[in-house]
Each structure stands twice: as C-alpha cells, then as structure tokens.
Amino acid sequence: MDLRQHIREIQDFPIPGILFRDITTVLNNPAALKAAVDAVGALAEGLEFDAVLGPESRGFIFGMPVAYNSGKAFVPVRKTGKLPAETCRKEYSLEYGSAVIEIHRDAITPGRRFIIVDDLLATGGTAKAAAELVEEMGGIVVAQIFFIELTELNGRKLLAGQDVRALLEY
C-alpha cells in the first residue's frame, strides 16, 4: 500500500508557509492504519530491545501497537505533570520556547534496552530529549523509529550517532 496517498497535505498550517502532513487520514482508514503500524514495526526487526518508548501523544499511536506486536513493554513519555508516580524529567529547547518531558522513574532500569517510536522526526528536539533522558536514567537507546521524517528540517543531524529509521521521507 502506498501510504503517501493516505496522508493529507494542508497548506499554511499551523502558520503560513508550512505544508502540514496530516496523518489523521491514515488513522481513519483501517487498512492504511494496519499497513502503517505493520511497516513501522518492521523497521524494528533485527533489533534487540526490551521495551518501546513512545513520546506523547502520537508516539503512543505507533509505539503501543509496535510494543504489543513485538511482545515488548511500552513506556510512555509524557508532558510534565501527567504521570502519577515519581518521574525523571528533561527540559529541552524548541524553536519557539522550551518543553519538559517526563518518564516514570521505575520504567527505566540500568541496561534496559529501548527503541523510541514516534510519528514524526522534524527538528529532532523531542527525540533527542527522550534519548538523553533514557540514557541519564541508565537505559540504552537501540534505535529511533519514525513513521515520517521531514528531511529538510535536519532532525537526523541532531540525533547523530544514533540508529535512526524512518518509513516515509518528505
């Protein structure tokens, strides 16, 4: 299935000059959703990992079924204040300010191996922060896997030295 045909393009969203790649049309089509999740999961084949880590919120959409289909655990990365137990946090810079992500402290143990799965690699800020947080907590990031990579934003450059895999590139 050509998943590009199921991705809606919206001009000038969220601001003028931006061409937004809308994946809700993939999510709303059962065959496209299954093909997308299966293809993203296939990018993890051959990797040795213990759990899938998914950044809020679209990392949940792809990460959770990849974890389920792989028979692995799923660890959510949330915005600050959303996790109920003790957390570790990481503040990072965005083009327009800063953000904070958190992971439950007991979800990352020394030597536990993770793949990070998300919908989009753009500038790489969230992906880099998630990987750094895992590593600061003693975990190992085996690979970062994305449904879409926006190559012109050079997010892969920010993730230099990591195994970065993307299903679709624009």
Side-chain angles (χ1 to χ4, degrees):
M1 173 180 292
D2 183 1
L3 290 167
R4 289 176 192 274
Q5 293 180 351
H6 296 278
I7 297 172
R8 177 172 38 201
E9 295 180 348
I10 300 174
Q11 188 65 47
D12 297 324
F13 182 83
I15 60 172
I18 300 293
L19 177 61
F20 187 82
R21 310 285 179 176
D22 179 18
I23 66 165
T24 62
T25 46
V26 171
L27 305 177
N28 193 37
N29 178 311
L33 175 59
K34 181 173 181 0
V37 169
D38 289 348
V40 168
L43 294 176
E45 289 178 6
L47 296 174
E48 292 185 30
F49 62 99
D50 304 305
V52 175
L53 189 136
E56 185 172 349
S57 63
R58 291 178 303 238
F60 296 1
I61 293 169
F62 289 98
M64 181 60 199
V66 168
Y68 177 82
N69 290 336
S70 301
K72 306 294 183 179
F74 178 77
V75 175
V77 177
R78 300 291 314 264
K79 296 173 183 167
T80 188
K82 301 290 186 181
L83 292 171
E86 186 178 355
T87 62
C88 289
R89 59 186 288 155
K90 181 81 174 179
E91 185 170 352
Y92 61 102
S93 296
L94 301 168
E95 309 88 282
Y96 49 85
S98 65
V100 177
I101 56 171
E102 294 181 332
I103 300 174
H104 274 139
R105 184 173 296 281
D106 61 1
I108 312 292
T109 54
R112 193 172 191 199
R113 300 171 61 84
F114 293 87
I115 60 170
I116 298 174
V117 176
D118 208 349
D119 71 318
L120 181 71
L121 174 58
T123 62
T126 301
K128 182 179 181 197
E132 287 175 346
L133 186 53
V134 168
E135 291 167 354
E136 288 168 10
M137 296 172 70
I140 299 164
V141 176
V142 175
Q144 297 234 22
I145 298 174
F146 302 92
F147 178 49
I148 295 173
E149 178 180 0
L150 302 177
T151 57
E152 67 185 27
L153 297 179
N154 297 314
R156 191 178 287 257
K157 186 176 181 179
L158 195 60
L159 304 176
Q162 295 183 41
D163 182 352
V164 178
R165 302 172 182 201
L167 183 63
L168 302 174
E169 294 180 349
Y170 287 96

